[in-house]
Amino acid sequence: MKFRAASLFVLMGCAGLAQDRDPAFAKVPFDQWLAGSEQPRVRWTTRVLPVELSNFQRLRARVEIQVDGEEVVKRRGRGFLVMLVQFNDGEGRVYQTHKALDLQEMKETAGKMNFIYSQDAFVLPGDYKISLGVFDTETGDHSVAQRMLHVGPLKNDPLPAAWRDLSPVELLHDAPDEGLLPSSTGRLNLPLETRRPVRVELLVNASGQAAKSNWGELIPALSVLSDMNVVNGAMNVVLLDLARQKVVFEQNVARNLDWRKLEAGFKQADPKVIDVHSLEKRGRSAQFFVKQVGQRIADAAEAVRVLIVLTGPAAFDSGENLHAIELGAKPAGKLFYIRYHSPAPKPEFRPTFEEPRFGRRQIPPLQPRTPALTEPIDELERTMKPIDPRVFDVYTPDQFRKALGIVIEETSKL
């Protein structure tokens, strides 16, 4: 759980099981409540947000339940206030999850808050019925509501088969664009078929404050790229800490990334913590990158090398050696340079909930937004000029999806 703002207490949902039922629903007559016509007994509001393409290249739906703080306070002392979320897909399959708020731990000051439970789900195009509920385990008071959600397909999708093997609904226990360890278990269908054997080297630059500000984009992008199935070859993922001139993570990906070790690698690359020995090597970071690229793109008899560099805009200190890479001959493989920029701040808005439920309409206050980080001018790309990299400047998930489509298409011609 975490605070969204001083007056809003946000409860993030627990994971649901795809095509399965949450045991919490078996303890209440939820279907009877939905079929009934009784008046709501709990002061609450609900909201279904517009579906959007997430950084994980999955369509994300979000539903919110808001309970008035005064409503919570008057029930404090005993039991739990349970919030229920259920998705029904077009085939009648059910996806359920819940969150329980401990009323015994509630303080009098909670009356000044509005409690919001946000539940994210990855969904496929289609029509869904969303059933929401809240009930007091001590008194039995409850309220329910239903919403319809239509999810349209992406227009001119460059990866139309990417979601082929996924469940229509995948409930998430963490926000999908936050954190190092995505809770999603679905794998994208991204076959990479080539005539010749290939070895794909995915190099991720995790260094610098600008890179850290992009982790919310770079980590999902890494997750997506690692889903590529290299049919005639192999993929190797490398995490580079340029400031310390270290490879902090490396794995030949047979199926899934080792996210625990990857998380440790990102933490090692934290720009706020650097040792004296690394400071002594300042000025050599770019050449460390050049060396890594040169070693990994060199032609090998057994496979053509394909390098994908994933980075935020990278600037260096004055005096840095930015000499470009030197190779004896231009390699037969390809170099794709994906530069992921910090997202532009979204416009402020005052979210209103769809309808008042037993009480006044609740309108949360404007949320403070951290100013967007001023990006440096990228100096890393110039070191790759002799290889003639294919450069993509990415600001949005849609742009990354198009870039990924081009990467797969051009690599497939090898």
Side-chain angles (χ1 to χ4, degrees), residues 37-48:
S37 58
E38 57 188 290
Q39 294 297 314
R41 302 177 184 175
V42 179
R43 184 181 297 164
W44 73 322
T45 48
T46 62
R47 187 162 68 118
V48 178

PDB file of all heavy atoms in Angstrom, residues 37-48:
ATOM      1  N   SER A  37     -31.870  -5.713  -6.147  1.00  0.00           N
ATOM      2  CA  SER A  37     -32.163  -4.304  -6.427  1.00  0.00           C
ATOM      3  C   SER A  37     -32.123  -3.442  -5.170  1.00  0.00           C
ATOM      4  O   SER A  37     -32.641  -2.337  -5.160  1.00  0.00           O
ATOM      5  CB  SER A  37     -33.551  -4.174  -7.078  1.00  0.00           C
ATOM      6  OG  SER A  37     -34.547  -4.729  -6.230  1.00  0.00           O
ATOM      7  N   GLU A  38     -31.534  -3.972  -4.104  1.00  0.00           N
ATOM      8  CA  GLU A  38     -31.508  -3.223  -2.851  1.00  0.00           C
ATOM      9  C   GLU A  38     -30.606  -2.001  -2.953  1.00  0.00           C
ATOM     10  O   GLU A  38     -29.687  -1.945  -3.772  1.00  0.00           O
ATOM     11  CB  GLU A  38     -31.033  -4.124  -1.712  1.00  0.00           C
ATOM     12  CG  GLU A  38     -29.666  -4.756  -1.946  1.00  0.00           C
ATOM     13  CD  GLU A  38     -29.329  -5.776  -0.881  1.00  0.00           C
ATOM     14  OE1 GLU A  38     -29.099  -5.349   0.263  1.00  0.00           O
ATOM     15  OE2 GLU A  38     -29.300  -6.972  -1.189  1.00  0.00           O
ATOM     16  N   GLN A  39     -30.880  -1.016  -2.119  1.00  0.00           N
ATOM     17  CA  GLN A  39     -30.121   0.223  -2.123  1.00  0.00           C
ATOM     18  C   GLN A  39     -28.724  -0.002  -1.528  1.00  0.00           C
ATOM     19  O   GLN A  39     -28.545  -0.826  -0.635  1.00  0.00           O
ATOM     20  CB  GLN A  39     -30.856   1.299  -1.314  1.00  0.00           C
ATOM     21  CG  GLN A  39     -32.169   1.733  -1.929  1.00  0.00           C
ATOM     22  CD  GLN A  39     -31.955   2.383  -3.282  1.00  0.00           C
ATOM     23  OE1 GLN A  39     -31.086   3.227  -3.448  1.00  0.00           O
ATOM     24  NE2 GLN A  39     -32.779   1.979  -4.267  1.00  0.00           N
ATOM     25  N   PRO A  40     -27.734   0.715  -2.036  1.00  0.00           N
ATOM     26  CA  PRO A  40     -26.380   0.566  -1.488  1.00  0.00           C
ATOM     27  C   PRO A  40     -26.327   1.007  -0.027  1.00  0.00           C
ATOM     28  O   PRO A  40     -26.984   1.969   0.364  1.00  0.00           O
ATOM     29  CB  PRO A  40     -25.537   1.475  -2.382  1.00  0.00           C
ATOM     30  CG  PRO A  40     -26.495   2.446  -2.977  1.00  0.00           C
ATOM     31  CD  PRO A  40     -27.784   1.699  -3.138  1.00  0.00           C
ATOM     32  N   ARG A  41     -25.547   0.293   0.753  1.00  0.00           N
ATOM     33  CA  ARG A  41     -25.422   0.583   2.178  1.00  0.00           C
ATOM     34  C   ARG A  41     -24.059   1.156   2.543  1.00  0.00           C
ATOM     35  O   ARG A  41     -23.807   1.443   3.702  1.00  0.00           O
ATOM     36  CB  ARG A  41     -25.662  -0.692   2.986  1.00  0.00           C
ATOM     37  CG  ARG A  41     -27.037  -1.331   2.742  1.00  0.00           C
ATOM     38  CD  ARG A  41     -27.153  -2.616   3.519  1.00  0.00           C
ATOM     39  NE  ARG A  41     -28.416  -3.311   3.241  1.00  0.00           N
ATOM     40  CZ  ARG A  41     -28.726  -4.525   3.728  1.00  0.00           C
ATOM     41  NH1 ARG A  41     -27.860  -5.149   4.505  1.00  0.00           N
ATOM     42  NH2 ARG A  41     -29.875  -5.079   3.418  1.00  0.00           N
ATOM     43  N   VAL A  42     -23.200   1.259   1.593  1.00  0.00           N
ATOM     44  CA  VAL A  42     -21.860   1.798   1.824  1.00  0.00           C
ATOM     45  C   VAL A  42     -21.665   2.985   0.891  1.00  0.00           C
ATOM     46  O   VAL A  42     -21.980   2.907  -0.309  1.00  0.00           O
ATOM     47  CB  VAL A  42     -20.777   0.732   1.567  1.00  0.00           C
ATOM     48  CG1 VAL A  42     -19.389   1.324   1.789  1.00  0.00           C
ATOM     49  CG2 VAL A  42     -20.979  -0.494   2.462  1.00  0.00           C
ATOM     50  N   ARG A  43     -21.170   4.069   1.420  1.00  0.00           N
ATOM     51  CA  ARG A  43     -20.918   5.269   0.613  1.00  0.00           C
ATOM     52  C   ARG A  43     -19.644   5.061  -0.190  1.00  0.00           C
ATOM     53  O   ARG A  43     -18.542   5.025   0.363  1.00  0.00           O
ATOM     54  CB  ARG A  43     -20.775   6.485   1.520  1.00  0.00           C
ATOM     55  CG  ARG A  43     -20.603   7.797   0.772  1.00  0.00           C
ATOM     56  CD  ARG A  43     -20.441   8.947   1.720  1.00  0.00           C
ATOM     57  NE  ARG A  43     -21.627   9.134   2.550  1.00  0.00           N
ATOM     58  CZ  ARG A  43     -21.656   9.862   3.651  1.00  0.00           C
ATOM     59  NH1 ARG A  43     -20.562  10.464   4.060  1.00  0.00           N
ATOM     60  NH2 ARG A  43     -22.769   9.978   4.346  1.00  0.00           N
ATOM     61  N   TRP A  44     -19.789   4.922  -1.490  1.00  0.00           N
ATOM     62  CA  TRP A  44     -18.656   4.634  -2.348  1.00  0.00           C
ATOM     63  C   TRP A  44     -18.897   5.149  -3.759  1.00  0.00           C
ATOM     64  O   TRP A  44     -20.017   5.541  -4.103  1.00  0.00           O
ATOM     65  CB  TRP A  44     -18.381   3.125  -2.369  1.00  0.00           C
ATOM     66  CG  TRP A  44     -19.389   2.314  -3.166  1.00  0.00           C
ATOM     67  CD1 TRP A  44     -20.743   2.500  -3.243  1.00  0.00           C
ATOM     68  CD2 TRP A  44     -19.103   1.212  -4.020  1.00  0.00           C
ATOM     69  NE1 TRP A  44     -21.322   1.568  -4.070  1.00  0.00           N
ATOM     70  CE2 TRP A  44     -20.329   0.752  -4.566  1.00  0.00           C
ATOM     71  CE3 TRP A  44     -17.941   0.549  -4.380  1.00  0.00           C
ATOM     72  CZ2 TRP A  44     -20.408  -0.324  -5.436  1.00  0.00           C
ATOM     73  CZ3 TRP A  44     -18.021  -0.534  -5.245  1.00  0.00           C
ATOM     74  CH2 TRP A  44     -19.246  -0.956  -5.764  1.00  0.00           C
ATOM     75  N   THR A  45     -17.855   5.154  -4.567  1.00  0.00           N
ATOM     76  CA  THR A  45     -17.945   5.495  -5.983  1.00  0.00           C
ATOM     77  C   THR A  45     -16.996   4.581  -6.753  1.00  0.00           C
ATOM     78  O   THR A  45     -16.060   4.005  -6.182  1.00  0.00           O
ATOM     79  CB  THR A  45     -17.564   6.965  -6.250  1.00  0.00           C
ATOM     80  OG1 THR A  45     -16.338   7.251  -5.581  1.00  0.00           O
ATOM     81  CG2 THR A  45     -18.635   7.911  -5.760  1.00  0.00           C
ATOM     82  N   THR A  46     -17.242   4.443  -8.035  1.00  0.00           N
ATOM     83  CA  THR A  46     -16.411   3.567  -8.858  1.00  0.00           C
ATOM     84  C   THR A  46     -16.017   4.286 -10.141  1.00  0.00           C
ATOM     85  O   THR A  46     -16.685   5.230 -10.581  1.00  0.00           O
ATOM     86  CB  THR A  46     -17.159   2.271  -9.229  1.00  0.00           C
ATOM     87  OG1 THR A  46     -18.318   2.609  -9.998  1.00  0.00           O
ATOM     88  CG2 THR A  46     -17.593   1.523  -7.983  1.00  0.00           C
ATOM     89  N   ARG A  47     -14.949   3.786 -10.744  1.00  0.00           N
ATOM     90  CA  ARG A  47     -14.465   4.392 -11.987  1.00  0.00           C
ATOM     91  C   ARG A  47     -13.737   3.337 -12.814  1.00  0.00           C
ATOM     92  O   ARG A  47     -12.974   2.532 -12.279  1.00  0.00           O
ATOM     93  CB  ARG A  47     -13.529   5.556 -11.694  1.00  0.00           C
ATOM     94  CG  ARG A  47     -13.098   6.348 -12.915  1.00  0.00           C
ATOM     95  CD  ARG A  47     -12.563   7.713 -12.515  1.00  0.00           C
ATOM     96  NE  ARG A  47     -11.308   7.623 -11.800  1.00  0.00           N
ATOM     97  CZ  ARG A  47     -10.157   8.150 -12.244  1.00  0.00           C
ATOM     98  NH1 ARG A  47     -10.124   8.779 -13.397  1.00  0.00           N
ATOM     99  NH2 ARG A  47      -9.060   8.053 -11.539  1.00  0.00           N
ATOM    100  N   VAL A  48     -13.984   3.323 -14.110  1.00  0.00           N
ATOM    101  CA  VAL A  48     -13.238   2.489 -15.059  1.00  0.00           C
ATOM    102  C   VAL A  48     -12.486   3.438 -15.992  1.00  0.00           C
ATOM    103  O   VAL A  48     -13.109   4.227 -16.709  1.00  0.00           O
ATOM    104  CB  VAL A  48     -14.159   1.561 -15.858  1.00  0.00           C
ATOM    105  CG1 VAL A  48     -13.349   0.747 -16.866  1.00  0.00           C
ATOM    106  CG2 VAL A  48     -14.928   0.627 -14.920  1.00  0.00           C
TER     107      VAL A  48
END
